Amino acid sequence: MRILVVHGPNLNMLGTREPGVYGSLTLAEINAALVSLAGELGAEVTLFQSNSESALIDAIHSAAASCDGILINPAAYTHTSVALRDAIAAVALPTVEVHLSNIHAREEFRARSFIAPVALGQVSGFGLESYLLGFRAIFNHIKKGL
């Protein structure tokens, strides 16, 4: 089983970007934790981060031929990108949306997700645990369907 993990814009700045909101964990540390969990579960993980909406869409499109599911933190594109939503719908891979912070407890505009309607579910507000819980959820969903 192979799962694509997609990190959206500005997540490359984790560790220094608004630590009061996002904590001090870096993207490299999140990726290491995901690789470790994937190994424990017997899954493969492909990691991708971009600040470019088109690059994120291309990665999602490519996943259709090589992955069984997607774990995505669309970051700011959560609230603005119909194109990312459409890419996820187009590839028809099971997808789980994750966020480090609780997007529903922040600014009003962050509460709306264009991704949620095409995802199996959303995990937010638990920092690194959001990613790990989301990874386990997508893994278990795919495992049941295989």
Side-chain angles (χ1 to χ4, degrees):
M1 179 189 312
R2 178 175 292 159
I3 297 170
L4 171 65
V5 176
V6 177
H7 305 286
N10 300 310
L11 293 173
N12 57 307
M13 299 296 294
L14 289 174
T16 58
R17 175 185 176 221
E18 298 180 79
V21 175
Y22 300 107
S24 60
L25 212 58
T26 66
L27 185 59
E29 291 169 319
I30 291 171
N31 284 340
L34 287 166
V35 167
S36 178
L37 178 58
E40 289 174 27
L41 296 174
E44 293 181 44
V45 63
T46 301
L47 303 163
F48 184 78
Q49 188 279 327
S50 180
N51 296 318
S52 167
E53 185 177 35
S54 64
L56 296 169
I57 291 166
D58 289 342
I60 292 166
H61 288 176
S62 295
S66 61
C67 295
D68 301 297
I70 299 171
L71 180 71
I72 185 168
N73 182 343
Y77 288 136
T78 302
H79 324 291
T80 63
S81 183
V82 173
L84 272 183
R85 178 250 178 251
D86 289 351
I88 292 166
V91 298
L93 289 172
T95 300
V96 171
E97 177 185 350
V98 298
H99 298 280
L100 294 164
S101 67
N102 181 351
I103 63 173
H104 303 285
R106 295 183 61 197
E107 301 93 341
E108 186 177 328
F109 74 88
R110 292 190 195 274
R112 176 158 187 208
S113 170
F114 282 95
I115 307 307
V118 293
L120 295 172
Q122 180 190 82
V123 183
S124 68
F126 297 102
L128 172 62
E129 287 301 314
S130 291
Y131 276 95
L132 301 179
L133 290 165
F135 194 92
R136 285 184 185 279
I138 193 72
F139 174 85
N140 289 330
H141 176 83
I142 294 166
K143 188 175 177 184
K144 288 178 187 174
L146 292 179

